[in-house]
Amino acid sequence: MSGANFILLINLSVAGLLAASFMAVAFHDVGRAPARWLAFGYLLGMAYFAVEFSIPAFANARPAVVAAFAVFLGATIAFNGGLARKYDVAPPWPPMLFFLFATTVAVYFVQDLPRQSLARMMAYQLPYAVMQFVGLAIVWSSRQRRGRLDRILMAVLAASGLQFASKPFIAHALGGWGENPQAYVQSSYALVSQSLGTVFGLALALLMLAILVRDVLTEATSKSETDTLSRLLNRGGFTRHAELAVLDAARQGVPVALVIADLDHFKSVNDSFGHASGDRVIETFASFLREAAASHHVAGRIGGEEFAIILPGTNLAAARLFAEGARSAFGALPIDGLPVDNRCTASFGVAELHPSEDFADLMRRADQALYQAKNAGRDCVRVSAGPVNGQSAATSIRADPGRI
C-alpha cells in the first residue's frame, strides 16, 4: 500500500470519527443545527475518501474523478452551512449550490485537457479554495462577538484556502499528479496533498468542536446563573460577574459603584393581592432595571425582593443619581394586577468601591446603606460615604410620601 493510500484510509477513519463527534454534540442539544450540518459535511468527506480510494479500480476514471470532486466540494459547502448556522448568518445556499453545479461541469470537461495542464489542476483545486474563503467571509460578517477560538478559526480557514490555491503549483514542483487518475495515489504529490488535507481538515474540525462545546458550556452556565422569574442573574451569577467587573475596573483605574434595591412592603403585596401579583411586581422591577442598565452594567436578583446592580466606570455621585432616578421612575409605574391607585416603591443603598476594599466590602457597605434607607422610612436612597474606621458613614435622600 502506498503512503498516499495509507493516508486516505486514515482520513476516511478520521472523517468518520469527526462526523460521530459532531452528531454527539447535535444529540446533546437538538437545536444544534450547526453540529448537524458539520456532521453531514464530514460524512460527505468519508464518501470522498472512499471514492478516491476506489479510482484505481476503474478503467474509465472520469466519472469517479468528477464524483470525487463534487462530493468533496459538497462537503465544504455543508461545512459552510454549519458555519453560517453557528455564526447566525444567512447561509448563501443558492450561490454555493450553483457554484457546485458549474464547477462540477467544468471539471468534467477539463478532463480532456493534458493531464499536467495547469488549467486542469486549477479547475480542480480553486473551487475548494473559494469555499474556504466563503467560510472565512461567513465568520467575518457575523455580528456575534468573536473570541480567540473564532479568530484562530478565521486564520485556519484563510490558510486552508491558500493551500488549496497553491496545490497546482506544488503538483508542478513535484513532477505532476500522476500520468493518469489511477496513478495519482502513487505520486509524490498525492502524499503531500493528502497530508495537507489531513492537517487542515483536522484543524478545522477540532476548532469547530471546541467552539461548539464552548457555546454549550456557556449556555449551561448562563442557565445556571439566571433567575427564571426576573430573567436577571441570580445571586451566585451576580456575585461572579460583579467580582469580575470590579477587578476589571480596578485594572483600568476607573471607579465602580454598587446599588442595592429592596422592594418596600413586598410581603403585604403578596398577602393583599396574591403571589401572582407579587411575581408581576418583581418582573416589572427587573424589566425596568434591564432597560435602565447600560451594556457594561451587571444586574441581578440577589434575594426574594432584593436586587443589585454594579456600575463600572461610575462614581458615587453618578450612582446616587442613578438610584434616585430608578426610585422615582419605578414609583410611578403601574403594575398589572394591582389597583390603579396603588404604586410600588423601593429603597436603595449606594456605595462606591474604596481602593482598600474588595467586592465583599463594597457589598457590605451598600447593604448597610440599604438597611439605613429602610429604617429611615423606605422609598429613599441612602449613600455610604466610605469606610471610616471600619464603619460606613451614610447620608440619605428622602422621597415624597405615598408608599405602599
Side-chain angles (χ1 to χ4, degrees), residues 17-377:
L17 290 173
L18 292 172
S21 298
F22 284 116
M23 285 306 300
V25 175
F27 285 138
H28 175 79
D29 185 345
V30 294
R32 293 280 163 191
R36 292 196 292 273
W37 276 109
L38 293 168
F40 178 59
Y42 280 93
L43 285 173
L44 288 177
M46 290 181 66
Y48 162 76
F49 293 124
V51 174
E52 279 278 306
F53 193 78
S54 67
I55 284 177
F58 292 95
N60 177 15
R62 176 181 286 199
V65 169
V66 175
F69 168 83
V71 170
F72 192 74
L73 189 61
T76 65
I77 290 173
F79 186 91
N80 287 346
L83 285 178
R85 295 297 186 186
K86 159 63 189 80
Y87 289 98
D88 199 22
V89 175
W93 293 122
M96 288 196 299
L97 293 176
F98 176 79
F99 186 76
L100 172 63
F101 173 78
T103 54
T104 300
V105 172
V107 166
Y108 179 85
F109 285 106
V110 298
Q111 301 302 304
D112 294 326
L113 295 176
R115 173 72 177 168
Q116 306 306 329
S117 164
L118 183 62
R120 178 171 175 169
M121 295 183 198
M122 293 185 72
Y124 197 91
Q125 296 294 340
L126 286 185
Y128 301 144
V130 169
M131 283 299 105
Q132 297 293 270
F133 286 117
V134 169
L136 173 60
I138 287 171
V139 182
W140 179 270
S141 63
S142 173
R143 295 184 178 180
Q144 295 179 6
R145 181 179 178 182
R146 290 190 289 268
R148 181 178 300 176
L149 286 176
D150 306 293
R151 292 191 292 272
I152 294 174
L153 174 65
M154 292 170 64
V156 174
L157 282 168
S160 181
L162 291 174
Q163 64 95 17
F164 278 121
S166 68
K167 279 187 176 182
F169 305 100
I170 295 174
H172 179 74
L174 294 177
W177 52 348
E179 295 181 0
N180 52 52
Q182 292 85 348
Y184 162 74
V185 294
Q186 306 297 328
S187 67
S188 299
Y189 167 73
L191 181 62
V192 173
S193 178
Q194 294 300 327
S195 298
L196 285 173
T198 300
V199 170
F200 282 99
L202 189 58
L204 288 171
L206 292 178
L207 277 169
M208 284 308 302
L209 277 173
I211 288 169
L212 292 178
V213 170
R214 177 200 65 185
D215 291 350
V216 168
L217 294 176
T218 299
E219 184 178 342
T221 300
S222 177
K223 288 180 179 179
S224 70
E225 292 183 342
T226 301
D227 174 65
T228 55
L229 178 59
S230 67
R231 291 186 291 121
L232 298 175
L233 292 170
N234 57 29
R235 188 178 187 93
F238 173 78
T239 299
R240 187 176 76 84
H241 286 272
E243 286 176 341
L244 292 174
V246 167
L247 290 174
D248 191 53
R251 281 194 297 267
Q252 298 179 35
V254 298
V256 59
L258 174 65
V259 176
I260 299 182
D262 188 87
L263 300 179
D264 297 329
H265 305 293
F266 183 74
K267 185 176 183 301
S268 68
V269 174
N270 283 330
D271 292 342
S272 301
F273 304 106
H275 288 279
S277 294
D279 288 348
R280 282 192 288 272
V281 173
I282 289 174
E283 290 170 342
T284 301
F285 188 77
S287 177
F288 170 77
L289 271 189
R290 280 195 300 274
E291 293 176 2
S295 59
H296 62 289
H297 294 163
V298 179
R301 181 187 179 197
I302 60 174
E305 62 269 19
E306 193 171 358
F307 299 80
I309 181 167
I310 197 84
L311 307 171
T314 304
N315 61 21
L316 187 63
R320 187 201 71 186
L321 291 175
F322 175 90
E324 178 58 24
R327 183 204 63 78
S328 177
F330 178 67
L333 286 177
I335 308 293
D336 289 342
L338 296 185
V340 177
D341 58 344
N342 278 271
R343 292 290 185 267
C344 292
T345 61
S347 302
F348 293 80
V350 183
E352 180 183 353
L353 184 70
H354 189 270
S356 63
E357 294 180 311
D358 58 16
F359 174 71
D361 298 321
L362 178 65
M363 190 82 172
R364 183 179 61 255
R365 285 200 296 110
D367 199 55
Q368 289 172 353
L370 173 64
Y371 183 77
Q372 293 170 15
K374 292 165 69 175
N375 284 343

